[in-house]
Amino acid sequence: MQRNEAGTRPRYWLTLASGMLECLCFAGAVFGYASLVFVLKDDGYFSQLCVSIPGTNDTLNSTDCSRQDEQFSLVFTIASFLNNFSTIVNGYIFDQFGTMVARLLGISLYTTGTLLVAFSSAALSALLFPALSCIAVGGILLLLTNIQVGNLFTTHRSTVITVYNGAFDSSAAVFFIIKVLYEQGVSLCSSFVFLSFCSIIHVLRTFLLMPKSHIPYPLPENYTYGLTCGKANTYNVKKFESMKDCAMTVLQESSGMDNTAPAPEESTKAQDSGVASFRSCVLSWLFLWHLLWLSIIQLRHYLFIGTLNPMLNRLANNDPNQVSQYTNAFAITQLCGVLCAPWNGLIMDRHRGKPLSPGESEREADLRSSCLSLFLTSLQCLLFSVCASVPLLPLQYLTFILQVLNRSFLYGGNAAFLSIAFPACHFGKLYGLVMSVSGVISLLQYPFFTLVRGALGGDPLFVNIALILLTLQAFIHPVYVFIHCRKLARHREDAAQNKATYGSTLDETKL
């Protein structure tokens, strides 16, 4: 039974609001790991790795916990890697089996992870490895299935996507709240058991406020979903896109996206559906530069989060009060991610409502609008890297602000760019692929940490300089997208001139 506009709009808004709460309170909790480490250390996790160093002359004995820090860093390295690498499988599951299957899998993993933390202890510290990994993978699945909610709000699509990614970043504050409750006497077990029970909310939302398959884009008239809608007005995304958005094929061909000829079967399928093939999207320079851009900036963030606790200990001369103060400040700034993200969406949606240039497709206009967002994200990362490299403790407040701003721009911009530049029927696979490959590259954070702790004697100066130089490579992507859009504009102008020339010649021939 189809519903009219008055019946569907409230459901759209309820889906948007509930998805925001889901991303804000659960999905990206693993990135508040620095706050959780403070609690875990106090509870004695991996404390057997600390060794006592006898003092000399009149000095007191000291404790070396560098191996404990290394183990905590390894837990986050593996969790953040799986958060990304598993997305290629998650994206395939989402594209192939739909929203309901993907969400139920994510909820199962998330609940398993929270229960493992709840029933872990100092004697069972190794449980942190599977626990944080399950929380990370389950959380990214919740985000992946929520990104499509942006399709319900056509004129603010990129804004919704970036807001959801900002909420994902802000959910890092969940572990900060657990830290505050722990200091007030609430046990780690109680907090994580509560998070496990909250999974009931995710299950109810899956059946009542999310589609069984996918939300198409552009959105059909009177589109409905959910069990309470009776027979929902559902659509096959690939078929619908081939009918409504054939301009994508023109964009791909005119930009030279298909750098390598696709396989015969894949090429035939792409031609039959009117949509660019998955292979041609992956082999395009547009995708490859985007992959490099995400990988570089993400590596910088993961290394910063994974080494924040030992860095603060070094700068604060192991003063636990100062370390706690700065850890709290970092966690509080994470809450601002949801406030920063909409600015990126507004930048990407700033052309909405304006007339398109002659011959310009809507996707091409979206792509042109994304150039500024990509450039600002790269610039923020450069400033963040410079501040993080200066060994001055008060400056880290500015570092925290730049870090959360850049993260909210990065992940929101990543999802929005992929939804703009490539067909919607490939979004899950492309999103999964780009996150997976960037996740493999993020494994470099552990060798970097080991290098600092070992050969560099705890001084990260040279590693930070290397990361600043690496960050400069991220500017290639926005420059390439800008040049790409200029080529498309010139191609359009040439086509218009040729049409005018041939048209006038044909008229003279008729005369």
Side-chain angles (χ1 to χ4, degrees):
M1 179 176 65
Q2 289 189 346
R3 301 295 179 93
N4 55 29
E5 186 72 8
T8 57
R9 295 306 294 180
R11 178 175 294 275
Y12 293 172
W13 284 103
L14 187 57
T15 300
L16 175 67
S18 60
M20 173 72 69
L21 289 176
E22 186 172 79
C23 291
L24 183 62
C25 299
F26 304 97
V30 70
F31 294 104
Y33 184 67
S35 298
L36 186 63
V37 166
F38 192 90
V39 176
L40 295 173
K41 279 188 173 183
D42 196 63
D43 270 356
Y45 284 71
F46 299 120
S47 58
Q48 71 276 11
L49 299 177
C50 292
V51 294
S52 179
I53 301 176
T56 57
N57 299 330
D58 296 331
T59 59
L60 299 175
N61 293 349
S62 59
T63 304
D64 178 16
C65 291
S66 58
R67 289 187 61 202
Q68 182 190 34
D69 289 334
E70 184 178 351
Q71 202 71 0
F72 279 125
S73 178
L74 184 59
V75 170
F76 181 75
T77 299
I78 294 174
S80 59
F81 164 71
L82 290 175
N83 173 78
N84 284 13
F85 189 75
S86 64
T87 315
I88 190 169
V89 179
N90 296 340
Y92 177 80
I93 292 172
F94 175 63
D95 281 347
Q96 193 72 19
F97 301 104
T99 303
M100 184 176 293
V101 172
R103 283 183 61 81
L104 291 177
L105 174 62
I107 294 166
S108 300
L109 289 170
Y110 194 92
T111 307
T112 300
T114 52
L115 287 174
L116 284 174
V117 176
F119 297 108
S120 66
S121 63
L124 298 172
S125 300
L127 284 179
L128 292 178
F129 286 98
L132 269 294
S133 296
C134 285
I135 291 174
V137 176
I140 198 67
L141 259 170
L142 293 178
L143 174 65
L144 177 62
T145 56
N146 275 311
I147 286 174
Q148 62 181 325
V149 174
N151 295 346
L152 298 175
F153 303 88
T154 306
T155 55
H156 300 290
R157 186 188 184 204
S158 295
T159 302
V160 172
I161 292 173
T162 53
V163 166
Y164 268 22
N165 279 270
F168 176 83
D169 294 336
S170 294
S171 64
V174 170
F175 284 172
F176 164 66
I177 295 172
I178 290 176
K179 174 180 178 291
V180 172
L181 292 174
Y182 177 83
E183 291 171 342
Q184 300 302 316
V186 179
S187 68
L188 193 66
C189 177
S190 300
S191 295
F192 276 90
V193 166
F194 174 77
L195 286 179
S196 301
F197 275 111
C198 286
S199 294
I200 297 173
I201 301 173
H202 307 321
V203 174
L204 292 175
R205 184 169 179 270
T206 299
F207 288 101
L208 300 178
L209 290 174
M210 292 296 284
K212 184 178 180 181
S213 55
H214 304 90
I215 300 175
Y217 180 82
L219 196 68
E221 186 179 356
N222 299 328
Y223 172 73
T224 58
Y225 53 89
L227 290 181
T228 58
C229 293
K231 186 177 179 181
N233 187 8
T234 57
Y235 292 80
N236 180 296
V237 173
K238 190 166 184 177
K239 290 181 179 178
F240 187 79
E241 184 174 61
S242 66
M243 292 186 293
K244 290 286 187 180
D245 206 12
C246 290
M248 183 64 197
T249 307
V250 177
L251 173 64
Q252 305 279 358
E253 293 173 354
S254 63
S255 63
M257 177 173 280
D258 194 356
N259 296 307
T260 303
E265 290 183 8
E266 200 168 30
S267 178
T268 302
K269 289 178 181 178
Q271 291 172 3
D272 291 343
S273 63
V275 178
S277 67
F278 174 70
R279 184 168 181 261
S280 67
C281 293
V282 171
L283 295 178
S284 68
W285 282 110
L286 208 59
F287 179 82
L288 295 175
W289 284 125
H290 183 73
L291 174 61
L292 179 66
W293 175 82
L294 176 67
S295 300
I296 290 172
I297 300 178
Q298 181 176 256
L299 173 62
R300 187 65 191 95
H301 282 275
Y302 280 5
L303 186 63
F304 180 76
I305 295 172
T307 60
L308 179 62
N309 188 266
M311 181 195 77
L312 291 178
N313 274 299
R314 181 174 59 86
L315 296 180
N317 295 319
N318 294 313
D319 182 350
N321 292 328
Q322 276 197 309
V323 172
S324 178
Q325 175 187 336
Y326 277 86
T327 301
N328 290 350
F330 173 73
I332 291 171
T333 57
Q334 300 306 299
L335 283 169
C336 299
V338 70
L339 302 178
C340 300
W343 293 105
N344 193 22
L346 292 173
I347 289 171
M348 301 187 81
D349 283 336
R350 68 188 187 279
H351 66 290
R352 301 285 186 179
K354 298 179 181 179
L356 298 175
S357 301
E360 185 180 41
S361 68
E362 189 172 337
R363 283 186 183 272
E364 188 180 334
D366 290 344
L367 190 63
R368 175 169 47 81
S369 186
S370 70
C371 293
L372 180 59
S373 169
L374 296 172
F375 174 79
L376 289 177
T377 305
S378 303
L379 181 61
Q380 291 162 3
C381 183
L382 179 62
L383 295 175
F384 155 61
S385 297
V386 171
C387 289
S389 303
V390 179
L392 186 63
L393 191 58
L395 184 62
Q396 300 315 306
Y397 287 121
L398 178 59
T399 305
F400 297 160
I401 294 171
L402 289 171
Q403 189 270 341
V404 71
L405 177 65
N406 190 226
R407 262 184 65 86
S408 63
F409 267 62
L410 175 66
Y411 290 110
N414 169 52
F417 181 82
L418 291 175
S419 68
I420 287 169
F422 305 101
C425 58
H426 300 316
F427 175 79
K429 295 185 287 292
L430 289 172
Y431 185 84
L433 181 61
V434 75
M435 295 296 287
S436 298
V437 176
S438 64
V440 172
I441 295 175
S442 72
L443 287 174
L444 290 173
Q445 63 182 296
Y446 187 70
F448 278 141
F449 179 80
T450 305
L451 177 65
V452 171
R453 190 182 66 84
L456 298 180
D459 186 359
L461 177 63
F462 293 108
V463 169
N464 285 332
I465 292 174
L467 289 171
I468 290 173
L469 296 176
L470 186 62
T471 300
L472 294 173
Q473 310 305 310
F475 286 93
I476 296 175
H477 184 39
V479 171
Y480 177 80
V481 174
F482 177 78
I483 295 173
H484 175 79
C485 291
R486 291 289 296 271
K487 287 180 178 178
L488 289 177
R490 283 199 299 269
H491 178 84
R492 219 173 37 246
E493 291 173 2
D494 292 342
Q497 289 177 0
N498 291 337
K499 183 178 180 181
T501 302
Y502 290 138
S504 60
T505 302
L506 182 61
D507 291 340
E508 292 175 1
T509 303
K510 290 179 178 178
L511 291 173

